[in-house]
Amino acid sequence: MEGVTLGGTMEASPGGLDKLDELDALVGRGGVAVLSGAGLSTESGIPDYRGPTGQARRAEPMTYQRFVASQEARRRYWARSHVGWRQIGLARPNAGHRAVAALERHGLVSGIVTQNVDGLHQAADADRVIELHGGLDRVMCLSCRERTPRAELDRRLREANPGWAATSDVINPDGDAVLTDEQVAGFRVVDCTGCGGLLKPDVVFFGENVPRPRVEECFAVVESARALLVLGSSLAIRSGLRFVRRAAARGVPIAIVNQGPTGGDADAALLVDAPLGATLTALAGRLGAQ
């Protein structure tokens, strides 16, 4: 399929305006469920994994099993995440996030399922957001299960590591910075102030399952929708692809706006290969959602 090319002013490739018209018609009926991925946040300065701005991951992702079993693994994780949080925590919603929130306020988006852990949908004032993989802005104790703000942990880690000033030029979408062993050495991890238990970001690690009630809530959003709009996700893993497959099985029309091919292209009624911010801003404008 031909894509749509959008820049500062709207330009369309041959057939591109037809695709915008189709997207307009699909979303304009309302009842749209949104499934968003890392590609939606690249314009906020957070790289994705597989899109055109993505980088090959140069640090092995942490697994839940290694995190709970190894003090050294926790040291490496929290040192890298402490650096990465500086970028994730400072990121701000981009035009794409703001357009999705505007479409929701306009009564066209019925729910947002995000695979991202950056909190940018909520920062753009979207309301009905389900964080499939959790959020980096919260920390959970694995013993007493208390959840506390990430900002509080950031303060405690800075106090526990005076003079530690590691930096990194590579930050992954999950807030994991690439650091050397020398940078990690000597980093001090802190535990729960209430019970002394291990602290973990309130996100789903590799090797850990998304809580079943959360998955069912996401399925319910998709199944009750008139259309599914996928934004910035390669759908390369089952975690997000299962919702596209469920929509297709239920006869819910699917539109995908992404730069590059996705694992759900065969199920989509409409494919738009274009930058997310400009495309969604144009869509919101056409639909009167400001």
Side-chain angles (χ1 to χ4, degrees):
M1 291 186 181
E2 296 178 46
V4 179
T5 302
L6 296 171
T9 59
M10 192 171 70
E11 298 178 359
S13 60
L17 284 175
D18 290 341
K19 287 190 177 293
L20 284 176
D21 288 340
E22 291 180 58
L23 191 61
D24 185 326
L26 189 71
V27 176
R29 292 196 294 267
V32 176
V34 168
L35 172 64
S36 67
L40 184 62
S41 293
T42 58
E43 293 175 37
S44 294
I46 301 174
D48 60 4
Y49 288 122
R50 301 174 182 88
T53 63
Q55 311 173 61
R57 177 185 266 278
R58 285 155 53 188
E60 183 182 353
M62 180 59 64
T63 67
Y64 180 80
Q65 292 76 15
R66 286 171 53 222
F67 184 85
V68 298
S70 167
Q71 180 179 6
E72 185 55 35
R74 291 192 295 276
R75 183 197 311 277
R76 288 197 306 275
Y77 175 81
W78 279 120
R80 297 189 323 221
S81 187
H82 185 53
V83 172
W85 173 248
R86 296 171 192 168
Q87 179 167 330
I88 301 294
L90 291 174
R92 294 295 177 261
N94 62 54
H97 298 108
R98 293 192 294 271
V100 171
L103 290 168
E104 183 191 48
R105 289 193 300 271
H106 203 59
L108 299 176
V109 167
S110 57
I112 302 164
V113 176
T114 185
Q115 300 170 84
N116 300 337
V117 294
D118 52 38
L120 293 179
H121 277 298
Q122 297 93 318
D125 292 329
D127 184 38
R128 296 180 290 276
V129 181
I130 304 172
E131 294 178 308
L132 181 63
H133 298 140
L136 281 174
D137 61 336
R138 304 179 301 275
V139 177
M140 180 178 68
C141 174
L142 293 180
S143 296
C144 70
R145 315 306 289 183
E146 181 183 12
R147 285 176 170 80
T148 53
R150 179 62 179 263
E152 178 181 328
L153 177 64
D154 184 67
R155 175 187 59 77
R156 293 181 61 209
L157 286 174
R158 282 187 280 108
E159 290 176 352
N161 294 276
W164 191 82
T167 60
S168 174
D169 293 329
V170 181
I171 309 292
N172 290 305
D174 56 4
D176 185 21
V178 177
L179 298 178
T180 65
D181 290 342
E182 290 75 17
Q183 288 174 306
V184 169
F187 186 81
R188 182 184 173 197
V189 176
V190 299
D191 296 321
C192 176
T193 56
C195 73
L198 302 180
L199 294 177
K200 172 184 171 292
D202 194 14
V203 299
V204 177
F205 278 179
F206 285 87
E208 188 178 11
N209 292 324
V210 178
R212 193 63 201 176
R214 192 183 304 167
V215 174
E216 293 299 334
E217 186 181 7
C218 294
F219 275 133
V221 168
V222 171
E223 291 171 1
S224 63
R226 292 179 183 168
L228 175 63
L229 179 60
V230 181
L231 302 176
S233 177
S234 65
L235 300 174
I237 58 175
R238 179 179 176 274
S239 184
L241 182 59
R242 57 184 158 180
F243 302 112
V244 172
R245 295 279 167 79
R246 178 66 64 90
R250 295 298 179 95
V252 177
I254 300 161
I256 300 177
V257 184
N258 188 63
Q259 292 192 267
T262 82
D265 286 359
D267 291 315
L270 177 62
L271 300 175
V272 181
D273 188 332
L276 278 293
T279 303
L280 294 171
T281 298
L283 175 66
R286 289 161 66 109
L287 293 172
Q290 304 298 329

